[in-house]
């Protein structure tokens, strides 16, 4: 309970809660490798408009996800009927 979650972990939680749907596009972030556990999750949640990057072509997957970011991601996911 005292450890923060990364942006990649939160993206993965939401992606898996949605049933791990297939992402349609390709990875557009220079800091997201193509073969890590969170690649599909980040591609899908950004395609859905649930999350955005943190800068030009970056997602910052290993940065801690703030409470504000988590709430925004969950709100957008709910709006899109993910849950």
């Amino acid at each position: 309970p005292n450890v923060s979650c990364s942006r990649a972990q939160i993206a993965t939680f939401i992606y898996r809660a949605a049933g791990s749907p297939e992402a349609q596009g390709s990875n557009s972030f220079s800091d997201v490798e193509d073969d890590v556990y969170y690649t599909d999750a980040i591609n899908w949640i950004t395609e859905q408009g649930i999350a955005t990057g943190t800068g030009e072509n970056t997602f910052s997957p290993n940065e801690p996800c703030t409470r504000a970011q988590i709430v925004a991601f969950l709100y957008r996911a709910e709006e899109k009927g993910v849950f």
Side-chain angles (χ1 to χ4, degrees):
N2 297 322
V3 178
S4 62
C5 287
S6 70
R7 289 173 51 84
Q9 290 170 320
I10 298 298
T12 302
F13 297 156
I14 294 170
Y15 172 71
R16 290 181 181 168
S20 301
E22 188 173 332
Q24 300 303 310
S26 61
N27 180 14
S28 62
F29 298 107
S30 61
D31 59 351
V32 175
E33 296 176 39
D34 288 330
D35 59 351
V36 290
Y37 77 89
Y38 53 77
T39 304
D40 290 339
I42 290 173
N43 290 342
W44 183 80
I45 68 164
T46 56
E47 285 175 4
Q48 299 303 309
I50 295 169
T52 59
T54 56
E56 189 173 328
N57 301 322
T58 58
F59 189 82
S60 303
N62 298 315
E63 292 297 315
C65 199
T66 67
R67 281 190 247 179
Q69 290 170 337
I70 293 169
V71 170
F73 294 172
L74 292 173
Y75 179 82
R76 292 180 200 132
E78 177 65 26
E79 275 191 323
K80 297 189 181 289
V82 170
F83 305 118

